[in-house]
């Protein structure tokens, strides 16, 4: 995915949408901040904002020092990004 920095859609929302697409199974390890930073070319602050947004909806669980994981169980439907 290419992040469009000129889009009307905020970069953190574009990042959250990309992360939501990465969720395949409950409990899976999500991409690390450094991986996302390299792949999408966005800042760690943007990545954290996107992860918090998904965590607030119950899609992701953030474990300090361990990373982010898809929630167990996953909510119904699709994340709102």
């Amino acid at each position: 995915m290419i992040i469009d920095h000129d889009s009307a859609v905020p970069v953190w929302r574009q990042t959250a949408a990309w992360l939501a697409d990465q969720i395949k199974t409950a409990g899976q390890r999500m991409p690390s901040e450094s991986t996302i930073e390299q792949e999408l070319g966005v800042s760690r602050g943007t990545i954290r904002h996107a992860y918090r947004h998904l965590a607030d909806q119950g899609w992701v669980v953030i474990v300090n020092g361990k990373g982010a994981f898809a929630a167990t169980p996953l909510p119904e439907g699709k994340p709102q990004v």
Side-chain angles (χ1 to χ4, degrees), residues 1 4-5 7 12 14 16 20 28-29 31 34 38 41 44 50-52 54 57 62 65 70 72 74 76 78:
M1 174 181 186
D4 182 357
H5 293 274
S7 172
W12 72 266
Q14 294 177 61
Q28 81 180 59
R29 179 180 288 277
S34 60
Q38 290 173 359
R44 287 185 185 237
Y51 266 132
R52 275 193 310 273
L54 292 173
Q57 294 181 52
I62 300 166
T72 304
L74 288 171
E76 294 289 322
K78 293 186 176 190

Side-chain angles (χ1 to χ4, degrees), residues 16-31 39 51 54 59-60 68-75 77-79:
W18 182 85
L19 285 169
D21 287 343
Q22 304 306 303
I23 298 172
K24 306 297 182 208
T25 60
Q28 81 180 59
R29 179 180 288 277
M30 297 296 292
E39 190 157 336
Y51 266 132
L54 292 173
W59 285 93
V60 172
F69 301 85
T72 304
L74 288 171
K78 293 186 176 190

